[in-house]
């Protein structure tokens, strides 16, 4: 796929094929076989990348069999009360499930499985044998550096484009041309592009027709085309790959979309979503497609920002109220424990700190959400939310994992605390109550952080829109001023020419004898 060259002969051949297809008005376009159906695309999974990574995962089986008597992996954790080996497998599985939703292709899912699987095996080997773990880590590092994800080399209907062919086939088309183009901008070094190549090739085979053509542009070879369409080609860019639909030489829609302020909408390019949003089925059948115009997109964006600001502000108001109440309760509860000596310093002091931060962050967030001029308070409260969430989840884990230490402290100091046996049993029974409250607050902090971030983004977009509107108004005022100056200058020039012709003496050297005689008379 990447080895094809977009030279002049290829473009001429492509134009001949298109003209021949257009002349055959009664003929039907034969549907190309899908690479997933023919099986040619699956050959890429026999590449060294997949084979060596599979070996890296399967090698754990004989190693584990050799260390079958290891007791470190069979030790039960005091928190989950399951063997350490099962706990690591559970964490790896959870990580795979979480990252699975971020991948839209089989290649992406397999790469996530390899990455998390090798990380889990490294953790397991650390408890089995640190020497074996070191060698396995070296093998994984060499594999990561030397063997990359393979390129797609299966069947496709993507026409390689360079600046010359792009200008001739897409930009300089006549108004009567009904051919739409779907152009795929990619880079060889981008893993996201490598993972989407097979999907785009399959779409090109399925939807290429007389009215729809597919093209591809290598942004490494032709960065000027990427600049023309504002596609960032850095390693941290969310615009690789980018798919753009052109009709009559103009861009009508792209994925991922770019907002008015220049921010890229983070998009998962899955097969179904690309087909529906780009309306490939309709374009393949010769229909124009109902794509939103710039004005409609701006109107929907402004309406969405207003709705987002309203919802985020309302949710933030509620969360701040709950956090304020919880902060006051935690502060009073920790002071009660500390003053009466019902808990050690290492337990009630962090609870007191978390409660105080909750009160401070909720008040600052309230102020920032209520007044646009106090947006700085909203930003500071967002930073405090990160510290709060980390402190809450850490403290909750400490309480949940130190249940035996808390019971021992209560029993050793029962006489000093003046606790009866009934009160002692009640304290031991409810010793995890603060941890559950902290975990609930942690979940709420995540929601509050999302609402706060969304509110800040909406305000930034509105500020950008207001600045843009102000700049347009200034430009309009300047144009009006220039127009008035031009009108005044033209009127002055007309008057000057009029009076010049009226009062300036005629040139007698160019006059005829009869005209001179009349002038003298």
């Amino acid at each position: 796929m990447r080895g094809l060259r977009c030279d002049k002969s290829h473009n001429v051949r492509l134009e001949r094929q298109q003209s021949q297809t257009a002349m055959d008005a009664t003929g039907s376009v034969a549907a190309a076989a899908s690479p997933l159906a023919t099986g040619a695309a699956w050959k890429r999974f026999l590449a060294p990348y997949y084979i060596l990574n599979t070996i890296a995962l399967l090698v754990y089986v004989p190693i584990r069999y050799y260390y079958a008597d290891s007791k470190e992996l069979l030790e039960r954790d005091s928190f989950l009360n399951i063997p350490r080996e099962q706990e690591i497998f559970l964490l790896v599985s959870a990580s795979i499930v979480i990252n699975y939703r971020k991948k839209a292709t089989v290649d992406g899912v397999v790469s996530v499985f390899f990455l998390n699987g090798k990380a889990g095996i490294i953790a397991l080997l650390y408890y089995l044998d640190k020497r074996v773990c070191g060698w396995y880590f070296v093998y994984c590092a060499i594999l990561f550096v030397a063997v990359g994800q393979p390129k797609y080399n299966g069947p496709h209907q993507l026409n390689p484009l360079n600046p010359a062919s792009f200008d001739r086939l897409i930009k300089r088309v006549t108004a009567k041309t009904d051919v739409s183009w779907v152009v795929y901008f990619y880079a060889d070094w981008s893993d996201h592009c490598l993972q989407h190549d097979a999907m785009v090739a399959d779409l090109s085979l399925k939807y290429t027709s007389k009215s729809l053509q597919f093209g591809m542009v290598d942004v490494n070879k032709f960065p000027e085309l990427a600049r023309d369409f504002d596609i960032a080609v850095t390693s941290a860019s969310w615009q690789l790959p980018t798919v753009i639909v052109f009709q009559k030489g103009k861009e009508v829609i792209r994925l991922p979309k770019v907002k008015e302020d220049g921010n890229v909408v983070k998009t998962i390019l899955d097969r179904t979503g690309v087909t529906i949003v780009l309306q490939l089925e309709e374009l393949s059948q010769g229909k124009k497609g109902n794509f939103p115009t710039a004005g409609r997109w701006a109107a929907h964006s402004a309406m969405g920002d207003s709705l987002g600001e309203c919802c985020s502000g309302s949710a933030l108001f509620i969360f701040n109220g709950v956090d304020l109440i919880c902060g006051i309760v935690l502060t009073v509860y920790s002071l009660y424990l500390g003053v009466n000596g019902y808990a050690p310093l290492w337990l009630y002091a962090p609870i007191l700190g978390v409660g105080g931060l909750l009160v401070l962050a909720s008040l600052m967030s309230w102020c920032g959400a209520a007044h646009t001029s106090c947006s700085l308070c909203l930003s500071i409260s967002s930073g405090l939310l990160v510290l709060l969430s980390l402190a809450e989840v850490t403290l909750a884990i400490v309480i949940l994992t130190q249940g035996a230490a808390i019971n021992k402290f209560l029993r050793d100091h029962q006489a000093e605390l003046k606790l009866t046996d009934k009160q002692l049993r009640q304290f031991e029974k409810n010793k995890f109550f603060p941890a559950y409250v902290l975990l609930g607050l942690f979940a709420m902090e995540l929601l509050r952080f999302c609402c706060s971030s969304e509110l800040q983004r909406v305000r930034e977009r509105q500020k950008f829109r207001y600045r843009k509107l102000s700049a347009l108004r200034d430009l309009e005022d300047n144009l009006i001023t220039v127009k008035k100056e031009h009108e005044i200058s033209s009127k002055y020039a007309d008057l000057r020419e009029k009076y010049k012709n009226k009062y300036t003496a005629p040139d007698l050297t160019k006059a005829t004898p009869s005209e001179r005689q009349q002038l003298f008379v």
Side-chain angles (χ1 to χ4, degrees), residues 214-491:
F214 285 77
M216 60 180 182
V217 175
D218 188 346
V219 296
N220 270 345
K221 295 181 180 179
F222 312 112
E224 60 272 19
L225 287 176
R227 287 194 298 268
D228 290 344
F229 296 100
D230 297 326
I231 299 175
V233 295
T234 60
S235 58
S237 173
W238 282 89
Q239 293 182 277
L240 289 177
T242 291
V243 184
I244 303 179
V245 177
F246 293 91
Q247 288 183 341
K248 296 182 179 180
K250 296 181 180 180
E251 175 187 339
V252 293
I253 193 172
R254 71 163 63 191
L255 287 176
K257 294 181 179 179
V258 180
K259 300 179 183 179
E260 291 182 340
D261 55 1
N263 293 326
V264 180
V265 180
K266 298 179 181 179
T267 307
I268 299 176
L269 300 179
D270 63 300
R271 179 188 177 90
T272 305
V274 171
T275 304
I276 294 175
V277 174
L278 301 185
Q279 304 180 28
L280 298 182
E281 190 75 34
E282 291 80 359
L283 295 178
S284 178
Q285 297 174 1
K287 300 178 182 179
K288 296 297 182 182
N290 186 21
F291 298 109
T293 59
R296 287 164 56 189
W297 172 258
H300 288 312
S301 177
M303 186 183 300
D305 286 345
S306 301
L307 182 61
E309 184 178 15
C310 180
C311 295
S312 300
S314 302
L316 202 58
F317 182 82
I318 297 174
F319 290 149
N320 286 332
V322 175
D323 279 346
L324 181 62
I325 296 173
C326 292
I328 294 174
V329 171
L330 283 177
T331 302
V332 174
Y333 180 70
S334 60
L335 290 175
Y336 171 75
L337 293 178
V339 171
N340 294 283
Y342 289 161
L345 179 64
W346 59 267
L347 181 59
Y348 75 82
I351 298 178
L352 178 62
V354 170
L357 280 177
L358 273 175
V359 174
L360 179 62
S362 58
L363 292 177
M364 294 184 67
S365 181
W366 244 338
C367 180
H371 303 283
T372 309
S373 58
C374 299
S375 296
L376 181 61
C377 294
L378 196 63
S379 302
I380 296 175
S381 66
S382 297
L384 290 176
L385 286 177
V386 177
L387 298 177
L388 271 174
S389 59
L390 293 176
E392 287 167 355
V393 71
T394 303
L395 187 57
I397 292 174
V398 168
I399 295 175
L400 291 173
T401 55
Q402 299 298 322
I406 295 174
N407 290 338
K408 185 177 182 301
F409 176 84
L410 292 174
R411 291 169 184 171
D412 294 343
H413 298 80
Q414 181 179 3
E416 299 177 9
L417 299 176
K418 299 178 181 180
L419 296 176
T420 62
D421 293 339
K422 183 178 180 181
Q423 291 175 336
L424 179 62
R425 287 193 298 270
Q426 187 175 2
F427 269 103
E428 290 179 348
K429 182 180 179 180
N430 299 325
K431 62 179 177 293
F432 292 141
F433 176 75
Y436 300 144
V437 174
L438 289 171
L439 289 177
L441 289 175
F442 171 72
M444 187 179 298
E445 298 311 327
L446 294 180
L447 294 175
R448 191 154 75 100
F449 180 79
C450 294
C451 293
S452 178
S453 301
E454 178 62 22
L455 186 60
Q456 291 183 68
R457 284 193 294 267
V458 168
R459 288 182 176 178
E460 287 296 328
R461 287 196 294 267
Q462 289 180 346
K463 188 184 298 183
F464 175 82
R465 197 175 289 114
Y466 291 151
R467 286 200 300 264
K468 188 175 180 181
L469 181 60
S470 177
L472 290 175
R473 288 176 178 173
D474 294 340
L475 180 61
E476 185 179 4
D477 293 339
N478 292 334
L479 290 175
I480 292 174
T481 303
V482 171
K483 184 178 180 181
K484 289 182 178 179
E485 292 177 353
H486 180 70
E487 291 177 352
I488 294 173
S489 300
S490 60
K491 289 181 179 180

